[in-house]
Amino acid sequence: MTEPAENALLNALPDGVILIEGDEIVLANVAAGDLLGVPPPRQLERLVPTALVELVGQALEGHTAADVIRRGTPPRWIEVTARPLADVGSRVLLVLRDITELRKVEAMRSDFVADASHELKTPVASIQAVTETLLVAIEEDPVAAKRFAQQLHTTAGRLAQIVGDLLDLSRVESEQPVKMRDVDLEKLALKEVDRISDRAEVVGIDLKTDLTPVVVTASRKDLRLALRNLLENALQHTPAEGTVTVSTSRDGDSATIAVRDTGTGIPRRDVPRIFERFYRVDDARDRESGGTGLGLAIVRNAVDMHGGTVAVESELGRGSTFTIRLPID
Ligand code: ADP
Protein backbone atom coordinates (compact mmCIF):
# COMPACT_ATOMS: atom_id res chain seq x y z
CA MET A 1 0.00 0.00 0.00
CA THR A 2 1.25 3.50 -0.79
CA GLU A 3 1.87 5.90 2.07
CA PRO A 4 -1.06 8.26 1.30
CA ALA A 5 -3.38 5.26 1.12
CA GLU A 6 -2.09 4.04 4.47
CA ASN A 7 -2.65 7.46 6.00
CA ALA A 8 -6.15 7.71 4.59
CA LEU A 9 -6.91 4.30 6.02
CA LEU A 10 -5.56 5.20 9.48
CA ASN A 11 -7.40 8.50 9.51
CA ALA A 12 -10.66 6.82 8.61
CA LEU A 13 -10.49 4.67 11.77
CA PRO A 14 -12.79 5.70 14.62
CA ASP A 15 -10.19 4.45 17.13
CA GLY A 16 -7.10 6.48 17.94
CA VAL A 17 -3.82 4.85 16.89
CA ILE A 18 -0.40 6.06 18.06
CA LEU A 19 2.88 4.36 17.15
CA ILE A 20 5.85 4.89 19.46
CA GLU A 21 9.44 4.06 18.71
CA GLY A 22 11.78 4.38 21.68
CA ASP A 23 10.97 7.79 23.15
CA GLU A 24 9.37 9.23 20.01
CA ILE A 25 5.86 9.26 18.63
CA VAL A 26 6.33 8.41 14.98
CA LEU A 27 2.71 8.19 13.89
CA ALA A 28 -0.71 9.26 15.14
CA ASN A 29 -4.02 9.29 13.31
CA VAL A 30 -6.67 12.02 13.42
CA ALA A 31 -8.88 10.13 15.91
CA ALA A 32 -5.99 10.00 18.42
CA GLY A 33 -5.83 13.81 18.50
CA ASP A 34 -9.64 14.08 18.69
CA LEU A 35 -9.87 11.65 21.60
CA LEU A 36 -7.01 13.24 23.55
CA GLY A 37 -8.19 16.79 22.83
CA VAL A 38 -4.78 17.79 21.38
CA PRO A 39 -2.64 16.34 18.60
CA PRO A 40 -0.03 14.00 20.17
CA PRO A 41 3.43 15.62 20.56
CA ARG A 42 6.56 14.27 18.91
CA GLN A 43 8.23 13.36 22.20
CA LEU A 44 6.70 10.58 24.23
CA GLU A 45 7.51 12.21 27.59
CA ARG A 46 5.26 15.17 26.69
CA LEU A 47 2.25 12.98 25.97
CA VAL A 48 -0.69 13.77 28.27
CA PRO A 49 -2.22 12.40 30.41
CA THR A 50 0.94 10.92 31.92
CA ALA A 51 -0.91 7.64 32.52
CA LEU A 52 -0.34 6.98 28.81
CA VAL A 53 3.43 7.34 29.18
CA GLU A 54 3.31 4.84 32.05
CA LEU A 55 1.35 2.38 29.90
CA VAL A 56 3.93 2.69 27.12
CA GLY A 57 6.65 2.04 29.73
CA GLN A 58 4.94 -1.22 30.72
CA ALA A 59 4.53 -2.26 27.09
CA LEU A 60 8.23 -1.59 26.52
CA GLU A 61 8.89 -4.17 29.21
CA GLY A 62 7.13 -6.67 26.99
CA HIS A 63 3.52 -6.95 28.21
CA THR A 64 0.24 -5.48 27.02
CA ALA A 65 -1.15 -2.87 29.42
CA ALA A 66 -4.58 -1.23 29.50
CA ASP A 67 -6.32 1.58 31.35
CA VAL A 68 -9.40 3.81 31.10
CA ILE A 69 -8.86 7.58 31.09
CA ARG A 70 -11.28 10.51 31.27
CA ARG A 71 -10.97 13.46 28.90
CA GLY A 72 -12.80 16.71 28.22
CA THR A 73 -16.08 18.28 29.25
CA PRO A 74 -18.57 16.71 29.14
CA PRO A 75 -16.29 13.85 30.15
CA ARG A 76 -15.63 11.06 27.69
CA TRP A 77 -14.25 7.70 28.77
CA ILE A 78 -11.41 6.35 26.69
CA GLU A 79 -10.03 2.84 26.91
CA VAL A 80 -6.33 2.78 26.12
CA THR A 81 -4.32 -0.31 25.28
CA ALA A 82 -0.52 -0.29 24.89
CA ARG A 83 0.82 -3.30 22.99
CA PRO A 84 4.47 -4.13 22.36
CA LEU A 85 5.12 -4.80 18.70
CA ALA A 86 6.84 -8.14 18.38
CA ASP A 87 9.23 -7.29 15.56
CA VAL A 88 11.31 -4.59 17.22
CA GLY A 89 11.74 -4.40 21.01
CA SER A 90 11.31 -0.64 21.27
CA ARG A 91 8.06 -0.22 19.31
CA VAL A 92 4.70 0.16 21.03
CA LEU A 93 1.23 0.60 19.58
CA LEU A 94 -1.26 2.65 21.61
CA VAL A 95 -4.91 2.19 20.69
CA LEU A 96 -7.54 4.58 22.09
CA ARG A 97 -11.23 3.69 22.00
CA ASP A 98 -14.12 5.91 23.09
CA ILE A 99 -16.25 3.76 25.44
CA THR A 100 -18.52 6.54 26.76
CA GLU A 101 -21.67 5.13 25.12
CA LEU A 102 -20.81 1.61 26.23
CA ARG A 103 -20.46 2.83 29.82
CA LYS A 104 -23.85 4.57 29.61
CA VAL A 105 -25.50 1.38 28.36
CA GLU A 106 -23.84 -0.61 31.15
CA ALA A 107 -25.02 1.90 33.75
CA MET A 108 -28.57 1.76 32.34
CA ARG A 109 -28.52 -2.01 32.40
CA SER A 110 -27.44 -2.16 36.00
CA ASP A 111 -30.07 0.47 36.97
CA PHE A 112 -32.64 -1.67 35.21
CA VAL A 113 -31.67 -4.80 37.14
CA ALA A 114 -31.83 -2.81 40.40
CA ASP A 115 -35.27 -1.36 39.53
CA ALA A 116 -36.68 -4.70 38.38
CA SER A 117 -35.46 -6.42 41.55
CA HIS A 118 -37.01 -3.68 43.64
CA GLU A 119 -40.38 -4.10 41.85
CA LEU A 120 -40.32 -7.87 42.34
CA LYS A 121 -39.29 -7.65 45.98
CA THR A 122 -42.62 -6.21 47.20
CA PRO A 123 -44.95 -8.95 45.88
CA VAL A 124 -42.47 -11.67 46.80
CA ALA A 125 -42.24 -10.38 50.39
CA SER A 126 -46.02 -10.16 50.53
CA ILE A 127 -46.42 -13.74 49.28
CA GLN A 128 -43.99 -14.94 51.96
CA ALA A 129 -45.81 -13.09 54.74
CA VAL A 130 -49.31 -14.11 53.64
CA THR A 131 -48.26 -17.76 53.23
CA GLU A 132 -46.98 -17.83 56.80
CA THR A 133 -50.21 -16.35 58.12
CA LEU A 134 -52.23 -18.73 55.96
CA LEU A 135 -50.44 -21.76 57.39
CA VAL A 136 -51.48 -20.74 60.88
CA ALA A 137 -55.03 -19.75 59.85
CA ILE A 138 -55.71 -23.07 58.07
CA GLU A 139 -55.74 -24.75 61.49
CA GLU A 140 -57.39 -22.04 63.54
CA ASP A 141 -59.61 -19.90 61.35
CA PRO A 142 -60.75 -21.40 58.02
CA VAL A 143 -62.76 -18.27 57.08
CA ALA A 144 -59.71 -16.04 57.43
CA ALA A 145 -57.66 -18.70 55.64
CA LYS A 146 -59.88 -18.33 52.58
CA ARG A 147 -59.29 -14.58 52.61
CA PHE A 148 -55.53 -15.07 52.82
CA ALA A 149 -55.62 -17.57 49.97
CA GLN A 150 -57.47 -15.00 47.83
CA GLN A 151 -54.86 -12.40 48.76
CA LEU A 152 -52.14 -14.84 47.70
CA HIS A 153 -53.86 -15.38 44.40
CA THR A 154 -54.04 -11.61 43.71
CA THR A 155 -50.41 -11.03 44.62
CA ALA A 156 -49.22 -13.99 42.56
CA GLY A 157 -51.19 -12.53 39.63
CA ARG A 158 -49.43 -9.23 40.11
CA LEU A 159 -46.06 -10.97 40.17
CA ALA A 160 -46.95 -12.78 36.96
CA GLN A 161 -47.92 -9.43 35.37
CA ILE A 162 -44.54 -7.88 36.23
CA VAL A 163 -42.62 -10.91 34.98
CA GLY A 164 -44.74 -11.01 31.79
CA ASP A 165 -44.10 -7.31 31.10
CA LEU A 166 -40.39 -7.71 31.82
CA LEU A 167 -40.21 -10.58 29.33
CA ASP A 168 -42.10 -8.54 26.71
CA LEU A 169 -39.77 -5.60 27.28
CA SER A 170 -36.66 -7.70 27.01
CA ARG A 171 -37.96 -9.28 23.81
CA VAL A 172 -38.71 -5.97 22.10
CA GLU A 173 -35.41 -4.52 23.36
CA SER A 174 -33.21 -7.34 22.11
CA GLU A 175 -32.02 -6.55 18.65
CA GLN A 176 -32.47 -10.05 17.37
CA PRO A 177 -34.04 -10.15 13.94
CA VAL A 178 -37.80 -10.31 14.21
CA LYS A 179 -40.15 -11.95 11.72
CA MET A 180 -41.01 -9.11 9.36
CA ARG A 181 -44.07 -9.47 7.18
CA ASP A 182 -46.85 -7.40 5.66
CA VAL A 183 -49.17 -6.29 8.42
CA ASP A 184 -52.46 -4.54 7.71
CA LEU A 185 -52.96 -2.10 10.57
CA GLU A 186 -56.71 -2.02 10.00
CA LYS A 187 -57.02 -5.79 10.51
CA LEU A 188 -54.71 -5.69 13.50
CA ALA A 189 -56.74 -2.89 15.09
CA LEU A 190 -60.06 -4.68 14.46
CA LYS A 191 -58.81 -7.81 16.20
CA GLU A 192 -57.53 -5.94 19.22
CA VAL A 193 -60.69 -3.85 19.52
CA ASP A 194 -62.74 -7.02 19.34
CA ARG A 195 -60.65 -8.53 22.10
CA ILE A 196 -61.50 -5.77 24.59
CA SER A 197 -65.02 -4.86 23.44
CA ASP A 198 -66.78 -6.90 26.15
CA ARG A 199 -64.71 -5.33 28.89
CA ALA A 200 -65.33 -1.85 27.52
CA GLU A 201 -69.06 -2.50 27.50
CA VAL A 202 -69.06 -3.73 31.08
CA VAL A 203 -67.37 -0.56 32.32
CA GLY A 204 -69.52 1.64 30.07
CA ILE A 205 -66.87 2.88 27.65
CA ASP A 206 -67.85 3.57 24.06
CA LEU A 207 -65.25 1.85 21.86
CA LYS A 208 -65.06 3.41 18.40
CA THR A 209 -62.96 2.87 15.28
CA ASP A 210 -62.00 5.07 12.36
CA LEU A 211 -59.98 2.73 10.18
CA THR A 212 -58.48 2.66 6.74
CA PRO A 213 -56.49 -0.30 5.42
CA VAL A 214 -52.76 0.46 5.49
CA VAL A 215 -50.00 -2.11 5.16
CA VAL A 216 -46.54 -1.89 6.76
CA THR A 217 -43.65 -4.33 6.83
CA ALA A 218 -43.36 -5.19 10.49
CA SER A 219 -43.39 -7.78 13.23
CA ARG A 220 -47.09 -8.44 13.80
CA LYS A 221 -46.37 -9.70 17.29
CA ASP A 222 -44.60 -6.48 18.32
CA LEU A 223 -47.20 -4.14 16.82
CA ARG A 224 -49.97 -6.13 18.48
CA LEU A 225 -48.15 -5.83 21.79
CA ALA A 226 -47.74 -2.06 21.34
CA LEU A 227 -51.40 -1.53 20.43
CA ARG A 228 -52.57 -3.81 23.21
CA ASN A 229 -50.65 -1.78 25.79
CA LEU A 230 -52.09 1.50 24.50
CA LEU A 231 -55.62 0.09 24.58
CA GLU A 232 -55.18 -1.33 28.08
CA ASN A 233 -54.00 2.10 29.27
CA ALA A 234 -56.90 3.87 27.56
CA LEU A 235 -59.41 1.52 29.24
CA GLN A 236 -57.67 1.87 32.57
CA HIS A 237 -57.70 5.67 32.58
CA THR A 238 -61.11 6.36 31.04
CA PRO A 239 -64.15 6.49 33.32
CA ALA A 240 -67.62 5.19 32.46
CA GLU A 241 -69.37 7.03 29.62
CA GLY A 242 -66.02 7.97 28.13
CA THR A 243 -64.92 7.11 24.61
CA VAL A 244 -61.87 5.28 23.27
CA THR A 245 -61.24 5.61 19.54
CA VAL A 246 -58.74 3.60 17.50
CA SER A 247 -57.80 4.97 14.11
CA THR A 248 -55.43 4.01 11.31
CA SER A 249 -54.41 6.12 8.36
CA ARG A 250 -51.78 6.71 5.74
CA ASP A 251 -49.96 10.00 5.61
CA GLY A 252 -47.48 10.25 2.71
CA ASP A 253 -44.85 7.59 3.28
CA SER A 254 -45.84 6.83 6.83
CA ALA A 255 -48.65 4.87 8.45
CA THR A 256 -50.25 5.88 11.69
CA ILE A 257 -52.21 4.05 14.30
CA ALA A 258 -53.67 6.13 17.09
CA VAL A 259 -55.55 5.48 20.32
CA ARG A 260 -57.56 8.42 21.61
CA ASP A 261 -59.39 8.48 24.91
CA THR A 262 -61.56 10.97 26.74
CA GLY A 263 -60.12 9.90 30.09
CA THR A 264 -58.18 11.48 32.94
CA GLY A 265 -55.34 12.88 30.84
CA ILE A 266 -51.73 13.13 31.98
CA PRO A 267 -50.28 16.04 33.96
CA ARG A 268 -48.00 18.15 31.75
CA ARG A 269 -44.94 17.63 33.97
CA ASP A 270 -45.24 13.84 33.70
CA VAL A 271 -45.64 13.64 29.92
CA PRO A 272 -41.87 13.63 29.13
CA ARG A 273 -41.32 10.74 31.56
CA ILE A 274 -44.17 8.32 30.95
CA PHE A 275 -42.18 6.24 28.43
CA GLU A 276 -39.47 5.51 31.02
CA ARG A 277 -39.42 2.05 32.51
CA PHE A 278 -41.26 1.76 35.82
CA TYR A 279 -42.49 5.36 35.65
CA ARG A 280 -46.00 5.80 37.01
CA VAL A 281 -47.81 9.12 37.24
CA ASP A 282 -49.39 8.34 40.59
CA ASP A 283 -47.18 5.63 42.01
CA ALA A 284 -49.51 4.33 44.72
CA ARG A 285 -52.75 4.58 42.70
CA ASP A 286 -51.29 3.12 39.48
CA ARG A 287 -49.55 0.31 41.36
CA GLU A 288 -52.77 -0.50 43.19
CA SER A 289 -54.66 -0.80 39.90
CA GLY A 290 -52.13 -3.31 38.63
CA GLY A 291 -49.87 -1.03 36.58
CA THR A 292 -46.26 -2.14 36.27
CA GLY A 293 -45.01 1.11 34.72
CA LEU A 294 -43.59 -0.93 31.84
CA GLY A 295 -46.41 -0.68 29.28
CA LEU A 296 -45.29 2.48 27.50
CA ALA A 297 -41.60 1.45 27.62
CA ILE A 298 -42.68 -1.70 25.77
CA VAL A 299 -44.62 0.42 23.25
CA ARG A 300 -41.69 2.76 22.62
CA ASN A 301 -39.17 -0.05 22.18
CA ALA A 302 -41.44 -2.03 19.88
CA VAL A 303 -42.00 1.05 17.72
CA ASP A 304 -38.30 2.04 17.77
CA MET A 305 -37.37 -1.38 16.44
CA HIS A 306 -39.44 -0.57 13.35
CA GLY A 307 -37.82 2.82 12.79
CA GLY A 308 -41.06 4.49 13.92
CA THR A 309 -42.05 6.99 16.58
CA VAL A 310 -44.72 7.22 19.26
CA ALA A 311 -46.08 10.57 20.37
CA VAL A 312 -48.58 11.65 22.99
CA GLU A 313 -50.90 14.61 23.29
CA SER A 314 -52.77 14.92 26.52
CA GLU A 315 -54.87 17.37 28.46
CA LEU A 316 -55.68 16.87 32.10
CA GLY A 317 -59.33 15.99 32.59
CA ARG A 318 -60.00 15.81 28.83
CA GLY A 319 -58.05 12.80 27.60
CA SER A 320 -55.00 11.58 25.73
CA THR A 321 -54.04 10.55 22.22
CA PHE A 322 -51.12 8.20 21.59
CA THR A 323 -50.00 8.08 17.96
CA ILE A 324 -47.65 5.47 16.52
CA ARG A 325 -46.08 6.46 13.22
CA LEU A 326 -44.37 3.81 11.09
CA PRO A 327 -42.44 4.17 7.85
CA ILE A 328 -43.91 2.56 4.74
CA ASP A 329 -41.18 1.34 2.42
P1 ADP B 1 -48.52 0.80 33.27
O1 ADP B 1 -48.03 -0.47 32.63
O2 ADP B 1 -48.37 0.81 34.75
O3 ADP B 1 -49.86 1.24 32.78
P2 ADP B 1 -47.32 2.62 31.44
O4 ADP B 1 -45.87 2.66 31.14
O5 ADP B 1 -48.21 2.01 30.42
O6 ADP B 1 -47.49 1.94 32.84
O7 ADP B 1 -47.84 4.11 31.72
C1 ADP B 1 -47.09 4.96 32.55
C2 ADP B 1 -48.02 5.94 33.25
O8 ADP B 1 -48.63 6.79 32.29
C3 ADP B 1 -49.15 5.26 33.98
O9 ADP B 1 -48.80 5.16 35.34
C4 ADP B 1 -50.34 6.17 33.81
O10 ADP B 1 -50.50 6.98 34.95
C5 ADP B 1 -49.97 7.07 32.63
N1 ADP B 1 -50.81 6.78 31.45
C6 ADP B 1 -50.54 5.92 30.44
N2 ADP B 1 -51.51 5.92 29.51
C7 ADP B 1 -52.45 6.79 29.95
C8 ADP B 1 -53.72 7.22 29.43
N3 ADP B 1 -54.22 6.78 28.26
N4 ADP B 1 -54.40 8.15 30.16
C9 ADP B 1 -53.91 8.63 31.34
N5 ADP B 1 -52.72 8.25 31.87
C10 ADP B 1 -52.00 7.34 31.18
Side-chain angles (χ1 to χ4, degrees):
M1 219 183 306
T2 61
E3 205 171 305
E6 273 173 13
N7 281 345
L9 190 76
L10 275 175
N11 287 333
L13 288 176
D15 290 350
V17 175
I18 300 175
L19 182 65
I20 296 129
E21 237 176 68
D23 52 12
E24 271 197 11
I25 293 176
V26 293
L27 188 149
N29 69 351
V30 173
D34 289 348
L35 292 173
L36 292 175
V38 281
R42 185 92 192 151
Q43 270 152 343
L44 174 64
E45 60 179 12
R46 292 177 51 207
L47 185 64
V48 280
T50 47
L52 298 185
V53 183
E54 283 163 27
L55 283 185
V56 173
Q58 291 174 37
L60 281 171
E61 284 166 19
H63 33 84
T64 300
D67 201 354
V68 174
I69 59 169
R70 215 179 103 147
R71 299 298 285 166
T73 24
R76 302 207 66 80
W77 298 93
I78 298 159
E79 184 187 69
V80 194
T81 313
R83 218 180 290 277
L85 288 182
D87 54 346
V88 191
S90 62
R91 287 217 296 184
V92 171
L93 185 69
L94 261 186
V95 177
L96 298 98
R97 171 167 297 174
D98 188 340
I99 56 163
T100 314
E101 290 309 312
L102 198 69
R103 281 212 158 191
K104 275 191 199 151
V105 171
E106 274 166 12
M108 269 164 57
R109 213 165 273 283
S110 89
D111 282 355
F112 176 57
V113 171
D115 289 344
S117 313
H118 179 76
E119 292 291 327
L120 293 169
K121 223 168 90 181
T122 315
V124 168
S126 158
I127 286 175
Q128 273 171 333
V130 178
T131 313
E132 276 163 31
T133 326
L134 174 65
L135 285 173
V136 177
I138 276 175
E139 305 283 332
E140 296 166 7
D141 187 350
V143 178
K146 189 165 179 205
R147 214 174 53 241
F148 291 133
Q150 267 155 356
Q151 214 173 317
L152 259 188
H153 186 247
T154 309
T155 315
R158 172 153 182 72
L159 197 58
Q161 175 77 42
I162 300 175
V163 172
D165 277 2
L166 281 171
L167 287 173
D168 281 342
L169 183 63
S170 107
R171 188 173 60 76
V172 293
E173 269 191 344
S174 72
E175 288 181 28
Q176 281 157 15
V178 282
K179 249 197 207 159
M180 301 292 261
R181 60 178 79 186
D182 282 354
V183 181
D184 182 349
L185 297 184
E186 181 189 34
K187 281 193 191 142
L188 184 87
L190 278 173
K191 264 198 181 157
E192 289 309 303
V193 165
D194 193 43
R195 186 179 157 267
I196 57 161
S197 62
D198 287 351
R199 267 165 59 209
E201 203 180 326
V202 170
V203 287
I205 291 174
D206 189 9
L207 197 52
K208 288 187 174 159
T209 54
D210 175 10
L211 304 172
T212 38
V214 47
V215 176
V216 292
T217 309
S219 150
R220 180 176 298 138
K221 202 170 167 187
D222 287 357
L223 290 191
R224 186 170 51 216
L225 188 62
L227 179 59
R228 205 168 270 190
N229 274 292
L230 292 183
L231 284 172
E232 292 292 339
N233 280 349
L235 282 193
Q236 181 71 42
H237 300 282
T238 305
E241 287 177 23
T243 307
V244 172
T245 312
V246 185
S247 56
T248 60
S249 63
R250 187 185 172 138
D251 174 13
D253 50 8
S254 63
T256 60
I257 182 159
V259 178
R260 189 170 75 235
D261 67 61
T262 60
T264 55
I266 302 162
R268 194 183 296 229
R269 64 164 194 283
D270 293 296
V271 169
R273 300 201 57 193
I274 52 172
F275 291 95
E276 289 173 21
R277 301 161 175 153
F278 301 115
Y279 190 80
R280 300 178 185 91
V281 171
D282 180 332
D283 201 40
R285 184 203 63 197
D286 292 333
R287 201 185 283 262
E288 186 61 31
S289 60
T292 61
L294 290 172
L296 290 176
I298 294 172
V299 174
R300 190 172 62 183
N301 277 286
V303 173
D304 272 0
M305 290 296 285
H306 289 83
T309 57
V310 53
V312 55
E313 274 174 60
S314 188
E315 202 179 328
L316 210 53
R318 304 203 65 144
S320 316
T321 305
F322 286 82
T323 308
I324 294 175
R325 201 172 289 276
L326 297 164
I328 302 178
D329 43 25

